[in-house]
Amino acid sequence: MKLKSIIISAFLICISYSPIASAGIFDGIAAAFDFPKKRLESYSKVADKQLVDQFYYLSEDGKIEGLNKELASKARGFEFKKISPSTLTLQRYMFKAGNMQEIVQTMNTYSYSPLSDEIGRRYVAFANSRGNVVKLYKPALGNILNQMFVQNFALEHAKNTAEWIGLDNALIEFTSTGQIVSVMTRSHQAIINIGVNSIQFINLYFGKANAQVIENRIANNNFENNFIRVLTAPSDNDTTERKVTSNGQDTRLPEAINTTPGQSLVTPADASTHSKIATSPEQRIQMLKNLAELKQSGVLTEQEFAAEKRKILEN
């Protein structure tokens, strides 16, 4: 009888405490899978939110994330893949074949311009809008850059996958003083799964830490030997390339290079026109500053700078 009482008492104690224990377990599980909170925390640590916001969308409550909504309407087929404090990865399914050999053959002849899609054009346009320049580099530099960072492929490398990290051009955003701000590269993975699908990954690397790593670990001659040209984006729908010589001098200038939204630098081709409308001292001071920036970046020669400066001062 005594044993029976002890068992009943123990059972009642377990029942009385089990809801509390269960609640604690489920609260812990819920906290571990609180994805909205984790997304908001991750976004709060992003080093370059201005750049990331051009491509990434996160609702205020953290429940919805994906491509920037405006970008999503223009860049069909692209998807958000992963974000970290200093990287952002997008993806899109690119090729489909019956077997891996067909995909390999396709990739052996693969050639793609980073300005062929809205992602690349948007990157260049935004860099220009905040007063920076974007330089286009050969795929060899893209290969070096991709080797320096973890690739956010869909799967870990296995027998049913193949990867390519050095087939695409690299885009690098620089300040007017030559400091690296951000990098855009592309990489690919093919996966055997009822046929073979290949995925293109667009990688954005940004932040001071990444910039320092790139500048310290990549030799200057790699930048010089793989440099192709400077890119500019006069408008959202018309991205043009500004050709330069091996020493960085322009052979053809764009109509304007944006420094900040609503403000443009003066080029030799249109400086005289701008000088005629610079009627206020404030306008002339701003134009002189713009000319100085062009001269410092190597766009204007000393003679061109002096001539355009004289026109502005004589107005």
Side-chain angles (χ1 to χ4, degrees):
M1 190 69 177
K2 187 177 181 180
L3 178 61
K4 184 177 180 180
S5 299
I6 294 173
I7 293 173
I8 292 172
S9 298
F11 178 72
L12 291 173
I13 292 171
C14 289
I15 291 176
S16 64
Y17 281 97
S18 61
I20 298 174
S22 297
I25 291 171
F26 285 115
D27 286 345
I29 293 173
F33 290 94
D34 189 353
F35 295 119
K37 182 179 179 180
K38 290 184 178 298
R39 291 183 189 123
L40 290 169
E41 289 177 351
S42 179
Y43 178 74
S44 69
K45 298 174 183 178
V46 168
D48 192 343
K49 289 186 176 66
Q50 285 187 324
L51 175 64
V52 166
D53 287 348
Q54 297 298 309
F55 304 93
Y56 176 70
Y57 169 78
L58 180 65
S59 61
E60 292 184 2
D61 58 9
K63 292 182 178 179
I64 303 173
E65 70 175 346
L67 282 187
N68 169 294
K69 291 187 174 181
E70 180 188 1
L71 176 63
S73 66
K74 297 179 179 179
R76 302 288 183 180
F78 287 92
E79 303 171 350
F80 162 72
K81 171 65 176 173
K82 189 174 182 179
I83 189 170
S84 78
S86 58
T87 67
L88 176 69
T89 303
L90 310 179
Q91 68 176 31
R92 68 164 169 171
Y93 286 85
M94 200 165 197
F95 303 118
K96 186 175 179 63
N99 55 65
M100 185 65 81
Q101 185 177 358
E102 291 180 26
I103 290 290
V104 171
Q105 290 174 348
T106 299
M107 300 310 293
N108 285 341
T109 59
Y110 171 84
S111 179
Y112 189 85
S113 168
L115 300 183
S116 294
D117 57 56
E118 186 63 25
I119 306 295
R121 293 193 292 269
R122 193 178 187 87
Y123 177 74
V124 176
F126 176 70
N128 289 171
S129 76
R130 59 179 180 177
N132 297 331
V133 297
V134 175
K135 295 183 180 181
L136 175 70
Y137 292 89
K138 295 178 181 179
L141 188 64
N143 182 58
I144 294 172
L145 289 163
N146 280 334
Q147 288 186 54
M148 294 173 61
F149 298 95
V150 174
Q151 298 298 297
N152 294 316
F153 290 132
L155 297 175
E156 292 289 333
H157 175 70
K159 292 181 179 180
N160 65 328
T161 72
E163 293 77 26
W164 297 265
I165 65 172
L167 300 181
D168 290 82
N169 299 94
L171 300 180
I172 302 183
E173 177 187 6
F174 291 90
T175 66
S176 59
T177 58
Q179 294 175 306
I180 292 176
V181 178
S182 68
V183 172
M184 176 179 281
T185 67
R186 299 182 188 233
S187 52
H188 302 259
Q189 183 177 54
I191 303 170
I192 300 174
N193 182 13
I194 311 177
V196 183
N197 290 304
S198 93
I199 308 171
Q200 182 190 64
F201 298 89
I202 300 89
N203 313 297
L204 275 173
Y205 308 121
F206 48 84
K208 292 183 179 179
N210 279 348
Q212 185 173 10
V213 167
I214 292 169
E215 290 174 347
N216 289 345
R217 295 187 182 180
I218 299 181
N220 288 341
N221 67 310
N222 282 321
F223 289 104
E224 296 167 3
N225 295 340
N226 290 295
F227 172 69
I228 299 176
R229 64 181 67 90
V230 173
L231 305 178
T232 61
S235 69
D236 289 339
N237 300 318
D238 180 22
T239 300
T240 60
E241 298 179 357
R242 178 156 51 104
K243 295 182 179 179
V244 296
T245 60
S246 58
N247 64 359
Q249 288 294 107
D250 285 276
T251 58
R252 181 175 61 85
L253 294 170
E255 293 181 0
I257 308 172
N258 291 333
T259 52
T260 56
Q263 176 187 352
S264 62
L265 296 176
V266 182
T267 66
D270 60 4
S272 60
T273 302
H274 281 276
S275 64
K276 292 178 182 178
I277 63 173
T279 56
S280 69
E282 291 79 10
Q283 286 176 312
R284 288 195 290 272
I285 290 172
Q286 185 58 57
M287 291 185 67
L288 289 171
K289 288 181 179 179
N290 291 342
L291 280 175
E293 290 178 5
L294 283 171
K295 175 176 173 289
Q296 183 180 7
S297 63
V299 171
L300 292 178
T301 65
E302 187 70 44
Q303 293 76 12
E304 290 170 334
F305 170 76
E308 299 305 330
K309 178 180 177 182
R310 185 171 58 255
K311 290 179 183 177
I312 295 172
L313 294 176
E314 289 176 352
N315 181 53

